[in-house]
mmCIF file of all heavy atoms in Angstrom:
data_model
loop_
_atom_site.group_PDB
_atom_site.id
_atom_site.type_symbol
_atom_site.label_atom_id
_atom_site.label_comp_id
_atom_site.label_asym_id
_atom_site.label_seq_id
_atom_site.Cartn_x
_atom_site.Cartn_y
_atom_site.Cartn_z
ATOM 1 N N LYS A 116 -109.157 -198.628 59.886
ATOM 2 C CA LYS A 116 -110.290 -198.245 60.732
ATOM 3 C C LYS A 116 -110.737 -196.826 60.399
ATOM 4 O O LYS A 116 -109.943 -195.985 59.976
ATOM 5 C CB LYS A 116 -109.896 -198.318 62.208
ATOM 6 C CG LYS A 116 -109.502 -199.698 62.700
ATOM 7 C CD LYS A 116 -109.094 -199.649 64.164
ATOM 8 C CE LYS A 116 -108.678 -201.025 64.676
ATOM 9 N NZ LYS A 116 -108.259 -200.983 66.103
ATOM 10 N N TYR A 158 -100.971 -193.710 62.112
ATOM 11 C CA TYR A 158 -101.911 -194.164 63.145
ATOM 12 C C TYR A 158 -102.094 -195.671 63.036
ATOM 13 O O TYR A 158 -102.089 -196.399 64.045
ATOM 14 C CB TYR A 158 -103.238 -193.420 62.965
ATOM 15 C CG TYR A 158 -104.224 -193.537 64.104
ATOM 16 C CD1 TYR A 158 -105.313 -192.677 64.174
ATOM 17 C CD2 TYR A 158 -104.106 -194.504 65.101
ATOM 18 C CE1 TYR A 158 -106.246 -192.754 65.209
ATOM 19 C CE2 TYR A 158 -105.027 -194.606 66.143
ATOM 20 C CZ TYR A 158 -106.091 -193.726 66.182
ATOM 21 O OH TYR A 158 -107.006 -193.803 67.208
ATOM 22 N N LEU A 160 -100.061 -197.915 61.925
ATOM 23 C CA LEU A 160 -98.857 -198.598 62.412
ATOM 24 C C LEU A 160 -98.789 -198.563 63.933
ATOM 25 O O LEU A 160 -98.468 -199.573 64.582
ATOM 26 C CB LEU A 160 -97.612 -197.955 61.808
ATOM 27 C CG LEU A 160 -97.394 -198.182 60.311
ATOM 28 C CD1 LEU A 160 -96.266 -197.293 59.787
ATOM 29 C CD2 LEU A 160 -97.087 -199.659 60.019
ATOM 30 N N ALA A 161 -99.090 -197.396 64.518
ATOM 31 C CA ALA A 161 -99.050 -197.273 65.976
ATOM 32 C C ALA A 161 -100.095 -198.174 66.630
ATOM 33 O O ALA A 161 -99.831 -198.835 67.649
ATOM 34 C CB ALA A 161 -99.274 -195.813 66.374
ATOM 35 N N ASP A 162 -101.272 -198.231 66.038
ATOM 36 C CA ASP A 162 -102.361 -199.046 66.564
ATOM 37 C C ASP A 162 -102.042 -200.536 66.453
ATOM 38 O O ASP A 162 -102.476 -201.347 67.274
ATOM 39 C CB ASP A 162 -103.644 -198.711 65.808
ATOM 40 C CG ASP A 162 -104.885 -199.288 66.448
ATOM 41 O OD1 ASP A 162 -104.915 -199.415 67.692
ATOM 42 O OD2 ASP A 162 -105.845 -199.611 65.715
ATOM 43 N N THR A 163 -101.267 -200.882 65.438
ATOM 44 C CA THR A 163 -100.916 -202.288 65.196
ATOM 45 C C THR A 163 -99.758 -202.750 66.068
ATOM 46 O O THR A 163 -99.754 -203.894 66.563
ATOM 47 C CB THR A 163 -100.565 -202.492 63.708
ATOM 48 O OG1 THR A 163 -101.685 -202.127 62.906
ATOM 49 C CG2 THR A 163 -100.176 -203.935 63.425
ATOM 50 N N PHE A 164 -98.765 -201.889 66.274
ATOM 51 C CA PHE A 164 -97.542 -202.305 66.973
ATOM 52 C C PHE A 164 -97.491 -201.844 68.434
ATOM 53 O O PHE A 164 -96.555 -202.180 69.152
ATOM 54 C CB PHE A 164 -96.314 -201.809 66.209
ATOM 55 C CG PHE A 164 -96.053 -202.578 64.953
ATOM 56 C CD1 PHE A 164 -96.676 -202.226 63.763
ATOM 57 C CD2 PHE A 164 -95.229 -203.694 64.960
ATOM 58 C CE1 PHE A 164 -96.465 -202.953 62.601
ATOM 59 C CE2 PHE A 164 -95.020 -204.436 63.805
ATOM 60 C CZ PHE A 164 -95.639 -204.062 62.619
ATOM 61 N N GLY A 165 -98.502 -201.094 68.870
ATOM 62 C CA GLY A 165 -98.611 -200.782 70.288
ATOM 63 C C GLY A 165 -99.350 -201.906 71.003
ATOM 64 O O GLY A 165 -99.890 -202.820 70.369
ATOM 65 N N THR A 166 -99.363 -201.850 72.330
ATOM 66 C CA THR A 166 -100.061 -202.865 73.117
ATOM 67 C C THR A 166 -101.142 -202.196 73.960
ATOM 68 O O THR A 166 -101.020 -201.040 74.353
ATOM 69 C CB THR A 166 -99.088 -203.627 74.038
ATOM 70 O OG1 THR A 166 -98.427 -202.688 74.908
ATOM 71 C CG2 THR A 166 -98.050 -204.384 73.233
ATOM 72 N N GLY A 167 -102.213 -202.942 74.227
ATOM 73 C CA GLY A 167 -103.322 -202.412 75.014
ATOM 74 C C GLY A 167 -104.639 -202.863 74.440
ATOM 75 O O GLY A 167 -104.696 -203.479 73.361
ATOM 76 N N SER A 168 -105.712 -202.536 75.144
ATOM 77 C CA SER A 168 -107.035 -203.002 74.744
ATOM 78 C C SER A 168 -107.834 -201.963 73.967
ATOM 79 O O SER A 168 -108.896 -202.281 73.433
ATOM 80 C CB SER A 168 -107.834 -203.418 75.994
ATOM 81 O OG SER A 168 -107.933 -202.325 76.912
ATOM 82 N N THR A 169 -107.320 -200.728 73.894
ATOM 83 C CA THR A 169 -108.020 -199.679 73.147
ATOM 84 C C THR A 169 -107.049 -198.975 72.197
ATOM 85 O O THR A 169 -105.827 -199.108 72.334
ATOM 86 C CB THR A 169 -108.609 -198.618 74.102
ATOM 87 O OG1 THR A 169 -107.525 -197.912 74.746
ATOM 88 C CG2 THR A 169 -109.514 -199.250 75.146
ATOM 89 N N ASN A 170 -107.605 -198.220 71.252
ATOM 90 C CA ASN A 170 -106.761 -197.453 70.338
ATOM 91 C C ASN A 170 -105.834 -196.520 71.103
ATOM 92 O O ASN A 170 -104.636 -196.405 70.791
ATOM 93 C CB ASN A 170 -107.631 -196.628 69.382
ATOM 94 C CG ASN A 170 -108.287 -197.468 68.307
ATOM 95 O OD1 ASN A 170 -108.109 -198.682 68.267
ATOM 96 N ND2 ASN A 170 -109.059 -196.838 67.442
ATOM 97 N N ASP A 171 -106.387 -195.819 72.098
ATOM 98 C CA ASP A 171 -105.592 -194.858 72.863
ATOM 99 C C ASP A 171 -104.456 -195.543 73.617
ATOM 100 O O ASP A 171 -103.335 -195.029 73.661
ATOM 101 C CB ASP A 171 -106.483 -194.101 73.851
ATOM 102 C CG ASP A 171 -107.390 -193.094 73.166
ATOM 103 O OD1 ASP A 171 -107.135 -192.784 71.975
ATOM 104 O OD2 ASP A 171 -108.353 -192.625 73.811
ATOM 105 N N GLU A 172 -104.754 -196.692 74.203
ATOM 106 C CA GLU A 172 -103.709 -197.415 74.932
ATOM 107 C C GLU A 172 -102.612 -197.898 73.989
ATOM 108 O O GLU A 172 -101.421 -197.836 74.309
ATOM 109 C CB GLU A 172 -104.325 -198.607 75.681
ATOM 110 C CG GLU A 172 -105.159 -198.216 76.885
ATOM 111 C CD GLU A 172 -105.789 -199.426 77.560
ATOM 112 O OE1 GLU A 172 -105.650 -200.563 77.016
ATOM 113 O OE2 GLU A 172 -106.424 -199.245 78.614
ATOM 114 N N ARG A 173 -103.028 -198.390 72.842
ATOM 115 C CA ARG A 173 -102.039 -198.914 71.897
ATOM 116 C C ARG A 173 -101.172 -197.788 71.322
ATOM 117 O O ARG A 173 -99.960 -197.953 71.171
ATOM 118 C CB ARG A 173 -102.744 -199.699 70.783
ATOM 119 C CG ARG A 173 -103.283 -201.049 71.251
ATOM 120 C CD ARG A 173 -103.791 -201.893 70.091
ATOM 121 N NE ARG A 173 -105.007 -201.344 69.501
ATOM 122 C CZ ARG A 173 -106.236 -201.614 69.922
ATOM 123 N NH1 ARG A 173 -106.433 -202.425 70.958
ATOM 124 N NH2 ARG A 173 -107.294 -201.098 69.305
ATOM 125 N N THR A 174 -101.775 -196.655 70.983
ATOM 126 C CA THR A 174 -100.966 -195.552 70.445
ATOM 127 C C THR A 174 -100.050 -194.974 71.512
ATOM 128 O O THR A 174 -98.906 -194.612 71.226
ATOM 129 C CB THR A 174 -101.865 -194.452 69.852
ATOM 130 O OG1 THR A 174 -102.811 -194.024 70.821
ATOM 131 C CG2 THR A 174 -102.576 -194.949 68.608
ATOM 132 N N ALA A 175 -100.532 -194.905 72.767
ATOM 133 C CA ALA A 175 -99.679 -194.428 73.860
ATOM 134 C C ALA A 175 -98.496 -195.373 74.054
ATOM 135 O O ALA A 175 -97.354 -194.938 74.293
ATOM 136 C CB ALA A 175 -100.488 -194.305 75.148
ATOM 137 N N SER A 176 -98.754 -196.670 73.948
ATOM 138 C CA SER A 176 -97.684 -197.661 74.069
ATOM 139 C C SER A 176 -96.658 -197.497 72.953
ATOM 140 O O SER A 176 -95.442 -197.597 73.181
ATOM 141 C CB SER A 176 -98.281 -199.071 74.010
ATOM 142 O OG SER A 176 -97.283 -200.045 73.784
ATOM 143 N N PHE A 177 -97.161 -197.239 71.747
ATOM 144 C CA PHE A 177 -96.251 -197.077 70.603
ATOM 145 C C PHE A 177 -95.377 -195.835 70.776
ATOM 146 O O PHE A 177 -94.172 -195.876 70.511
ATOM 147 C CB PHE A 177 -97.057 -196.985 69.314
ATOM 148 C CG PHE A 177 -96.216 -196.977 68.065
ATOM 149 C CD1 PHE A 177 -95.726 -198.161 67.535
ATOM 150 C CD2 PHE A 177 -95.903 -195.787 67.419
ATOM 151 C CE1 PHE A 177 -94.945 -198.166 66.385
ATOM 152 C CE2 PHE A 177 -95.128 -195.776 66.275
ATOM 153 C CZ PHE A 177 -94.647 -196.974 65.752
ATOM 154 N N ILE A 178 -95.964 -194.735 71.229
ATOM 155 C CA ILE A 178 -95.187 -193.508 71.455
ATOM 156 C C ILE A 178 -94.128 -193.754 72.530
ATOM 157 O O ILE A 178 -92.994 -193.261 72.431
ATOM 158 C CB ILE A 178 -96.124 -192.351 71.843
ATOM 159 C CG1 ILE A 178 -97.042 -192.009 70.665
ATOM 160 C CG2 ILE A 178 -95.318 -191.115 72.263
ATOM 161 C CD1 ILE A 178 -98.220 -191.118 71.029
ATOM 162 N N ALA A 179 -94.480 -194.544 73.541
ATOM 163 C CA ALA A 179 -93.500 -194.906 74.570
ATOM 164 C C ALA A 179 -92.339 -195.685 73.954
ATOM 165 O O ALA A 179 -91.168 -195.495 74.334
ATOM 166 C CB ALA A 179 -94.176 -195.729 75.672
ATOM 167 N N GLN A 180 -92.640 -196.547 72.990
ATOM 168 C CA GLN A 180 -91.575 -197.284 72.295
ATOM 169 C C GLN A 180 -90.676 -196.332 71.500
ATOM 170 O O GLN A 180 -89.455 -196.539 71.416
ATOM 171 C CB GLN A 180 -92.186 -198.318 71.353
ATOM 172 C CG GLN A 180 -92.900 -199.470 72.039
ATOM 173 C CD GLN A 180 -93.497 -200.440 71.020
ATOM 174 O OE1 GLN A 180 -92.778 -200.981 70.167
ATOM 175 N NE2 GLN A 180 -94.803 -200.657 71.095
ATOM 176 N N PHE A 198 -97.381 -190.032 67.334
ATOM 177 C CA PHE A 198 -96.835 -191.046 66.421
ATOM 178 C C PHE A 198 -96.590 -190.476 65.033
ATOM 179 O O PHE A 198 -96.016 -191.140 64.178
ATOM 180 C CB PHE A 198 -97.785 -192.251 66.311
ATOM 181 C CG PHE A 198 -99.219 -191.870 66.062
ATOM 182 C CD1 PHE A 198 -99.649 -191.469 64.806
ATOM 183 C CD2 PHE A 198 -100.137 -191.901 67.095
ATOM 184 C CE1 PHE A 198 -100.969 -191.107 64.572
ATOM 185 C CE2 PHE A 198 -101.465 -191.551 66.873
ATOM 186 C CZ PHE A 198 -101.878 -191.147 65.613
#
Side-chain angles (χ1 to χ4, degrees):
K116 298 178 181 179
Y158 192 166
L160 290 170
D162 192 32
T163 301
F164 286 86
T166 58
S168 58
T169 66
N170 286 1
D171 287 345
E172 288 178 355
R173 287 188 291 273
T174 54
S176 165
F177 187 81
I178 294 166
Q180 292 179 57
F198 48 77

